Amino acid sequence: MFDFRPAPDTPKPEAYRQLCDAADALTAGEPDAVANMANVAALLWDFLPDLNWAGFYRLVEDELVLGPFVGRPACIRIPLGKGVCGAAASAGRTQLVEDVHSFPGHIACDAVTRSELVVPVIREGAVVAVIDLDSPVAARFDQADAEGIEALAAVLEKRI
Ligand code: SME
C-alpha cells in the first residue's frame, strides 16, 4: 500500500530523516497507540536491512510488556534492568550492543540475534516504551543508527 523505502546507498542520516518523515506521516492524527506502533514496526522492517526483529516493548507499571513487532514470537514480559531492553528502560538511555553474547543478562528471544539497538521513548521525562531492533549481523548498528532511532523516538513520543 505504501512504499517508503529509501533509494539504495542513501547515507544513513538522510535515510533516517526519511524514516522519521514517513513515521510522522503514518501516525499523524491517529490516536490509537497500537495502530501507530504496528505501522512503525512494519516501517522499520521495510526500511532497515539485516534485521531479524523490529518492534516495541511498552512500560506497564514496573515491567516491559511486548508490543507490536515484526519478527519471530518474543518474550512477553521483561523486568526493568533485565536484558538490553530492561537496561534501556531503567537507565532511560540508548543501548548499542555490538555483540549480544558479551552483554551480561542478554535475553535471547531468537538464537540468531548477534547485535541489538534499543532506544527508550521518553514522554514528559518518563520512559513509556522502548524501540528494539535485533540483527543476525554482529555490530550491525552504529552511532548513526542510534541517533536515527532516537530521532524516531522523539517523533513517536506523543503518538504511542
Ligand atoms: N534481546 C532482548 C529481549 C527482547 S527480544 O530480543 C525481542 C533483551 O535482551 O532485552
Side-chain angles (χ1 to χ4, degrees):
M1 182 170 159
F2 297 109
D3 187 354
F4 290 111
R5 276 170 292 190
D9 302 327
T10 304
K12 280 186 185 180
E14 172 56 24
Y16 279 108
R17 265 192 294 280
Q18 293 179 19
L19 173 71
C20 288
D21 287 350
D24 185 44
L26 274 173
T27 59
E30 175 50 65
D32 190 282
V34 172
N36 288 339
M37 287 187 278
N39 254 343
V40 172
L43 183 67
L44 286 162
W45 186 260
D46 237 12
F47 230 83
L48 301 175
D50 301 323
L51 300 184
N52 61 306
W53 205 91
F56 292 85
Y57 280 88
R58 299 157 299 125
L59 187 61
V60 180
E61 294 170 7
D62 58 353
E63 63 183 350
L64 290 170
V65 182
L66 183 63
F69 67 94
V70 181
R72 302 187 72 187
C75 5
I76 298 170
R77 292 176 186 270
I78 300 177
L80 279 183
K82 297 283 182 200
V84 186
C85 292
S90 60
R93 290 175 63 106
T94 294
Q95 305 290 310
L96 179 54
V97 180
E98 293 193 344
D99 176 7
V100 295
H101 299 308
S102 63
F103 189 93
H106 169 252
I107 301 164
C109 292
D110 184 342
V112 307
T113 298
R114 292 295 312 281
S115 58
E116 186 158 351
L117 174 62
V118 183
V119 173
V121 180
I122 298 172
R123 181 164 62 232
E124 289 166 9
V127 174
V128 294
V130 299
I131 302 170
D132 182 16
L133 300 177
D134 293 356
S135 173
V137 178
R140 154 69 181 81
F141 306 104
D142 61 16
Q143 197 51 37
D145 295 295
E147 286 168 15
I149 300 299
E150 285 166 356
L152 175 66
V155 170
L156 297 180
E157 168 218 340
K158 291 193 170 64
R159 307 264 173 95
I160 67 171

